[in-house]
Amino acid sequence: GGYEELDAFLLNMESGTEWMNLGVWVDGCVSFQQACREMVLRVGKAAGLAKGDKVLDVGFGRGEQCRVWFEEFGIAELVGVNISRAEVEAGREKVAPYGERATLHVGSGTSLPL
């Protein structure tokens, strides 16, 4: 394991999650996991995510937000790119319930074939 595993472990001890952001700490927020989820919800709202949308997530960490976007916004499809193989593998476990609607790849966000 490398820094990715250590970071995820330290940030999420005893929670069963693998958030990699530092969250948005609003009134009433009592845990790291709540703050992280709040940030992901705010990003989704700011992006105008809606049912049926297709999302490209570059640098998705360990994939916790991917689940939130499927569950809370009803996105239809998600493609993720991350430079860390360990994070991609962890993310794939998180998005497995969404089948072919979610695909995560090892790669650099600065080298996308777009």
Side-chain angles (χ1 to χ4, degrees):
Y3 79 92
E4 299 98 343
E5 290 85 5
L6 180 60
D7 287 349
F9 172 75
L10 292 174
L11 291 172
N12 294 279
M13 290 188 321
E14 301 177 13
S15 73
T17 61
E18 296 185 279
W19 291 105
M20 297 294 289
N21 70 65
L22 297 179
V24 173
W25 293 81
V26 297
D27 287 342
C29 184
V30 297
S31 73
F32 172 70
Q33 291 71 31
Q34 276 184 308
C36 291
R37 184 176 175 82
E38 179 64 26
M39 187 178 104
V40 168
L41 290 171
R42 287 178 181 222
V43 168
K45 288 176 187 171
L49 292 183
K51 185 175 182 177
D53 283 352
K54 296 179 180 180
V55 173
L56 171 62
D57 189 345
V58 178
F60 55 82
R62 298 177 80 81
E64 290 287 349
Q65 73 279 359
C66 302
R67 293 192 300 193
V68 173
W69 291 334
F70 274 108
E71 294 165 8
E72 298 295 329
F73 295 95
I75 65 170
E77 183 179 344
L78 181 133
V79 175
V81 178
N82 195 316
I83 202 163
S84 166
R85 183 168 304 283
E87 290 179 7
V88 171
E89 290 171 7
R92 285 178 176 156
E93 290 179 25
K94 303 258 182 342
V95 300
Y98 306 104
E100 293 180 8
R101 295 173 50 209
T103 55
L104 303 181
H105 307 274
V106 175
S108 172
T110 61
S111 300
L112 296 177
L114 302 174

